[in-house]
Amino acid sequence: MAIKKIAHIAIAVHDLAEQIRHYRDVLGLELVGEEVVEDQGVRVAFLRVGESTIELLQPLNDASPVAKFLAKRGQGIHHIAFDVDNLAKSLSEMREKEIRLIDENPRAGGHGSQIAFLHPKSTHGVLTELCSVES
Ligand code: CMX
C-alpha cells in the first residue's frame, strides 16, 4: 500500500457553527465547504490545511456513528484518513495483514472520493479511513 498524504483528520463536534468559528476565525483556516453525508448521518465542514483538510463532523441524528462516539467519548479526534493510490488493492493488502475491515469494499465518500474504514480494534484504537479520488 502506498500512502500519499493525510487526506483529512476528522473531529466529532456537537455544534458545527460554533466549531467553525474556532477553526476559521480563531485559527485562521479557510472554510472550503459544507456537505451532508446522509448515509453516515453527518453534516461535514471542510477546512483546508495545506494539502490536507480538517473535517468537522456533526451528527444528524442519534443513529449516526458520530452521535454514538460523542455520547461515549465526548468531542475530539474521531478518525484519520490516508489518501492511497489504489484503494481496492490497499484493502486486499490490509485483509492479508489480518486487519479487520469495516467496509469490505470501497464506497462513496464526500467530494467524489471512494473510502473504506479499518476497525479501531485492529488499528490500536485509531479509527482509520483509506480513501482515493481515482478509484
Ligand atoms: N475511534 C476509536 N475508537 C472508536 C471509535 C473511534 N472513532 N468509535 C468507536 N470506537 C471504539 C469504541 O470506543 C468501542 O471500544 P470499547 O469496546 O473498548 O469500548 C469500540 O470501538 C466499539 O464501539 P461502539 O461504540 O460499540 O460502536 P460500534 O461498534 O457500533 O461502531 C465503529 C464502531 C468504529 C465500527 C463505527 O463507528 C463505524 O463503522 N465507523 C466508521 C464510519 C463512521 O465513523 N462514519 C462517520 C464519518 C463519516 C464521514 O467521514 O463521512
Side-chain angles (χ1 to χ4, degrees), residues 40 65 68-69 72-73 78-79 102 117 119-121 125 127:
Q40 293 294 306
K68 204 167 172 184
F69 177 91
K72 199 164 179 179
R73 298 176 159 219
H78 181 263
H79 67 263
I102 294 174
F117 281 94
H119 201 285
K121 286 292 175 195
L127 178 58

Side-chain angles (χ1 to χ4, degrees), residues 8 10 37 40 42 44 55 57 64-66 68-69 72-73 77-79 100 102-103 107 109-110 115 117-121 125-127 129:
H8 61 263
V37 183
Q40 293 294 306
V42 288
V44 191
E55 279 192 13
L57 304 174
S64 165
V66 175
K68 204 167 172 184
F69 177 91
K72 199 164 179 179
R73 298 176 159 219
I77 293 180
H78 181 263
H79 67 263
R100 184 169 153 197
I102 294 174
D103 302 295
R107 63 183 169 86
I115 66 167
F117 281 94
L118 311 181
H119 201 285
K121 286 292 175 195
V126 177
L127 178 58
E129 177 185 327

Side-chain angles (χ1 to χ4, degrees), residues 83-101:
D83 186 6
V84 298
D85 61 355
N86 183 326
L87 182 54
K89 195 159 161 262
S90 299
L91 283 180
S92 300
E93 195 178 323
M94 291 301 100
R95 206 177 284 114
E96 279 163 22
K97 290 181 173 170
E98 298 184 346
I99 298 295
R100 184 169 153 197
L101 307 181

Side-chain angles (χ1 to χ4, degrees), residues 43-71:
R43 183 171 185 86
V44 191
F46 305 93
L47 297 114
R48 194 189 319 279
V49 185
E51 285 198 327
S52 297
T53 307
I54 293 287
E55 279 192 13
L56 304 177
L57 304 174
Q58 180 189 308
L60 293 173
N61 51 54
D62 289 346
S64 165
V66 175
K68 204 167 172 184
F69 177 91
L70 284 168

